[in-house]
C-alpha cells in the first residue's frame, strides 16, 4: 500500500522560504504523478502544484507561480516543494498526494489522486 509522509512545515516570517518534502513508500515513485494541495481553516482544499511521472512536467496555481518550485528525486522516492517569498495567505496545511497515471501530464484536481499524506502545517506570520 502506497504511503506518503510530508515534512518541512514550520512557522516562518513573511518573505521567508521553506522546503516541504513528500516521502513515498510502498512502491516506486516513478509510477506516480504527485500533487501538492493546501487547505486553510474555512477554505476548500486547493491545488498548489503537481509534477508528472513522465517528463517531470509541472503545473502551478496562479497564486504561487514564480514563488514555488516543485521537483522530484525518484532515486530518493521524494518530491519537494520549494516555497519562496512566502505570504500570510500561504498559511495552510499542505498535503501531498499520488496519482497512479503514468503520463506526461499531471492534474491539480484533488479527486484525481488516490493516496494522500497526513499533511504538514505551514504558518506565515510575523
Amino acid at each position: 500500500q502506497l504511503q506518503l509522509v510530508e515534512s518541512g512545515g514550520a512557522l516562518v516570517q513573511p518573505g521567508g522560504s521553506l522546503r516541504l518534502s513528500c516521502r513515498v513508500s510502498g512502491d516506486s515513485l516513478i509510477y506516480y504523478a504527485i500533487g501538492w494541495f493546501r487547505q486553510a481553516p474555512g477554505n476548500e482544499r486547493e491545488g498548489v502544484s503537481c509534477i508528472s511521472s513522465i517528463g517531470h512536467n509541472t503545473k502551478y496555481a496562479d497564486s504561487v507561480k514564480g514563488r514555488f518550485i516543485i521537483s522530484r528525486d525518484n532515486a530518493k522516492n521524494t518530491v519537494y516543494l520549494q516555497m519562496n517569498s512566502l505570504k500570510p495567505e500561504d498559511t495552510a496545511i499542505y498535503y501531498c498526494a499520488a496519482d497512479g497515471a503514468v503520463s506526461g501530464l499531471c492534474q491539480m484536481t484533488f479527486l484525481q489522486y488516490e493516496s494522500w499524506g497526513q499533511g504538514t502545517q505551514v504558518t506565515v506570520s510575523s
Side-chain angles (χ1 to χ4, degrees):
Q1 183 175 353
L2 196 70
Q3 293 186 323
L4 298 89
V5 179
E6 303 94 336
S7 61
L11 170 64
V12 62
Q13 292 187 344
S17 297
L18 281 176
R19 188 177 79 160
L20 304 184
S21 298
C22 174
R23 179 76 160 82
V24 174
S25 61
D27 200 354
S28 175
L29 180 61
I30 64 173
Y31 300 117
Y32 298 89
I34 299 294
W36 282 98
F37 296 80
R38 66 186 181 187
Q39 188 166 19
N43 290 0
E44 293 185 350
R45 189 169 299 192
E46 64 170 339
V48 175
S49 182
C50 65
I51 186 164
S52 66
S53 56
I54 295 176
H56 298 184
N57 296 306
T58 59
K59 288 184 181 178
Y60 297 92
D62 288 342
S63 58
V64 307
K65 204 170 291 184
R67 300 188 297 123
F68 290 12
I69 301 171
I70 190 171
S71 62
R72 61 193 290 157
D73 186 338
N74 288 341
K76 294 182 178 180
N77 257 27
T78 302
V79 173
Y80 303 99
L81 185 68
Q82 177 67 43
M83 306 188 297
N84 302 318
S85 302
L86 283 161
K87 305 175 181 180
E89 50 264 41
D90 294 318
T91 296
I93 299 175
Y94 283 71
Y95 301 89
C96 64
D99 171 11
V102 179
S103 166
L105 299 174
C106 64
Q107 306 296 332
M108 290 204 294
T109 306
F110 73 87
L111 291 176
Q112 185 74 22
Y113 291 81
E114 306 101 10
S115 301
W116 290 79
Q118 82 291 345
T120 186
Q121 176 71 48
V122 172
T123 303
V124 184
S125 175
S126 54

